[in-house]
Amino acid sequence: NQYQMAAWNTAEMGNVIKGFTDTVGHRDQAFVMAYPHWVDTRLVAINAGFMQKDFAVWPDQVETTLEIPGPKMFLVKPDDMEGLQVLKETYPKGASSLYTAKIEHKSFIVYFVPADE
């Protein structure tokens, strides 16, 4: 119980990415917005089934994702206003929704970008 309260929910995040890759996207179209002292993005990848992947992208790297075709999905820490703003500016057709985690303070934002963006 103490571990669950202290550690980030990489399994839930991995499941969200796995759902994306199983339905509309590819692992190279999924990202976790890097944020200091948040989640180990390599553990998210392991939980999504991609052992050698690191889903991290920093706000100043988001523009590099424009060259990747197709839909995209970004997981964002709810208090990462800079990261969310960069996503909105880079992908104005994107939509954000709050993923409500099993442990309330572990929820995160899912920012989905449609393929035509």
Side-chain angles (χ1 to χ4, degrees):
N1 190 29
Q2 285 181 324
Y3 176 78
Q4 286 182 336
M5 295 304 286
W8 280 96
N9 50 335
T10 59
E12 284 181 284
M13 297 171 120
N15 285 338
V16 170
I17 289 177
K18 183 70 172 146
F20 172 78
T21 62
D22 284 349
T23 55
V24 298
H26 183 271
R27 69 180 188 173
D28 293 335
Q29 298 164 316
F31 306 91
V32 176
M33 186 66 72
Y35 189 84
H37 314 292
W38 185 34
V39 67
D40 185 334
T41 53
R42 298 164 302 174
L43 290 177
V44 175
I46 290 169
N47 281 294
F50 305 111
M51 303 302 172
Q52 302 300 319
K53 182 80 174 155
D54 184 348
F55 288 111
V57 63
W58 289 92
D60 64 347
Q61 298 170 324
V62 168
E63 194 170 294
T64 66
T65 67
L66 287 167
E67 62 195 42
I68 301 169
K72 296 174 192 77
M73 184 183 67
F74 297 82
L75 305 185
V76 185
K77 186 174 184 186
D79 55 348
D80 183 3
M81 294 297 111
E82 176 192 2
L84 197 55
Q85 185 60 35
V86 168
L87 287 172
K88 289 178 181 180
E89 290 171 2
T90 308
Y91 295 107
K93 291 182 184 176
S96 63
S97 61
L98 183 67
Y99 177 91
T100 304
K102 293 175 187 172
I103 298 174
E104 185 177 334
H105 67 280
K106 306 286 184 176
S107 296
F108 52 91
I109 295 170
V110 177
Y111 194 85
F112 180 76
V113 179
D116 63 348
E117 175 84 31

